[in-house]
Amino acid sequence: MSHRIEVEKGVSLFVEDIGEGQPVIFIHGWPVNHRMFEYQINEIVNLGYRFIGIDLRGYGQSDKPWSGYDYNRKADDVKAVIDQLGLENAVLAGFSMGGPVALRYMARHQQHGITKLMLLAPAAPRFTKTDDFPYGIEAKEIDGMIESIQKDRPAFLEEFGGMFFHQEQSDAFKHWFGTLGLQASAHGTIHSAEALRDEDGRGDLEHVTVPVLLLHGTNDEICPIDFSEYLQSHLKDAQLVKFEESGHGLVFEETEKLNAEILQFLRT
């Protein structure tokens, strides 16, 4: 089953809704969509959980307005989906950019409806370096990425996809993965990159009191594992599982281990 959920006047999100039982809400990373989780859907649904996959505004099959790509608005969009589907006792999972969006949701909406949080290779608490946050990349590197997107978005996505993985992927897989990024709007991709460059989610962490599972590849070249180590030390109840054979794309590179860790967390 799928839904179109209006999150503000004139803007609707596409939401995949499969299975029954406790809801597990997945928020994808930049610049793809919920279909990146296809290797988690079967496992979760087969074991009695309800998969909720959200295409954020600007991505996948959701509407692509010009504005609304800051973390506050994206968190409000998630709230609208949760409310309109009547989701309770849910687990919220955020991958990469979806990580800081999930954390902002927890802080901004008082963890409404959420009993557990999973962060997969999160781009959190912030993506770029500052004087008091030494992890991540320089803000000017995001500016270079935006310039590349404006010049040749397909070429940029192909290059970015190459950074995504530690293990070699088939040509067919790389083509499929690239199509996920091309389904996004150019302006949504750029405005989300600006949010990744500028947003700071460190203030969100003190508001998270539910159990948190952190899953992160040790060879991640996009979101260094320093991010999850920082989160583990600043969240009240967080466990970190490292994936030694993965880069940023741990959901594809160590799928069996990742799914097992997710299911163990769901059952506890």
Side-chain angles (χ1 to χ4, degrees):
M1 177 189 304
S2 62
H3 310 277
R4 292 208 68 86
I5 304 292
E6 188 173 56
V7 295
E8 65 175 333
K9 186 175 181 180
V11 179
S12 295
L13 301 191
F14 179 86
V15 180
E16 197 84 68
D17 184 353
I18 304 173
E20 299 177 354
Q22 183 181 24
V24 187
I25 306 162
F26 282 84
I27 307 175
H28 63 81
W30 181 89
V32 290
N33 56 62
H34 87 277
R35 296 192 184 280
M36 67 162 289
F37 299 113
E38 72 169 56
Y39 297 107
Q40 284 66 59
I41 295 173
N42 287 346
E43 292 288 328
I44 287 171
V45 174
N46 278 341
L47 291 166
Y49 296 93
R50 181 180 174 187
F51 173 88
I52 305 289
I54 301 173
D55 282 354
L56 295 172
R57 62 171 62 209
Y59 298 90
Q61 298 178 69
S62 288
D63 288 347
K64 299 170 174 63
W66 178 255
S67 61
Y69 296 93
D70 60 281
Y71 292 170
N72 282 349
R73 180 63 253 183
K74 287 175 181 172
D76 293 350
D77 289 352
V78 173
K79 172 81 160 41
V81 171
I82 288 173
D83 285 349
Q84 292 188 48
L85 293 182
L87 303 178
E88 299 177 342
N89 187 34
V91 180
L92 184 61
F95 171 83
S96 194
M97 179 184 71
V101 172
L103 286 165
R104 181 61 52 85
Y105 173 84
M106 298 296 279
R108 185 170 170 85
H109 297 292
Q110 298 80 47
Q111 308 182 128
H112 170 71
I114 305 300
T115 55
K116 292 180 182 178
L117 177 65
M118 293 190 290
L119 301 173
L120 294 71
R126 60 171 299 124
F127 190 61
T128 53
K129 296 178 180 178
T130 63
D131 290 342
D132 61 349
F133 188 78
Y135 314 113
I137 63 175
E138 300 288 346
K140 64 183 179 182
E141 293 183 57
I142 297 283
D143 296 334
M145 292 165 63
I146 291 171
E147 186 176 340
S148 296
I149 293 167
Q150 291 170 329
K151 287 182 177 178
D152 189 337
R153 187 162 68 105
F156 169 80
L157 291 172
E158 183 176 343
E159 181 181 353
F160 185 74
M163 293 175 58
F164 217 85
F165 301 103
H166 177 62
Q167 301 177 26
E168 184 59 35
Q169 306 295 318
S170 70
D171 289 341
F173 179 90
K174 286 186 280 191
H175 173 74
W176 170 77
F177 190 72
T179 65
L180 300 185
L182 287 171
Q183 290 171 29
S185 64
H187 58 270
T189 303
I190 290 169
H191 293 159
S192 293
E194 292 169 345
L196 282 165
R197 180 191 64 198
D198 299 336
E199 297 253 16
D200 192 331
R202 284 177 286 180
D204 298 331
L205 306 184
E206 65 184 282
H207 302 282
V208 179
T209 60
V210 303
V212 180
L213 176 65
L214 297 158
L215 304 170
H216 213 124
T218 59
N219 301 290
D220 197 327
E221 296 181 10
I222 294 173
C223 294
I225 198 166
D226 303 291
F227 288 179
S228 281
E229 291 173 341
Y230 181 97
L231 292 171
Q232 183 184 32
S233 66
H234 287 78
L235 289 165
K236 293 179 174 65
D237 181 8
Q239 59 172 309
L240 169 60
V241 178
K242 298 181 180 182
F243 289 72
E244 305 290 343
E245 304 300 322
S246 294
H248 196 51
L250 73 168
V251 298
F252 306 109
E253 297 184 282
E254 293 184 78
T255 307
E256 186 174 335
K257 177 182 175 181
L258 180 126
N259 288 348
E261 293 290 347
I262 288 175
L263 291 171
Q264 181 179 341
F265 183 65
L266 293 177
R267 288 169 172 161
T268 56

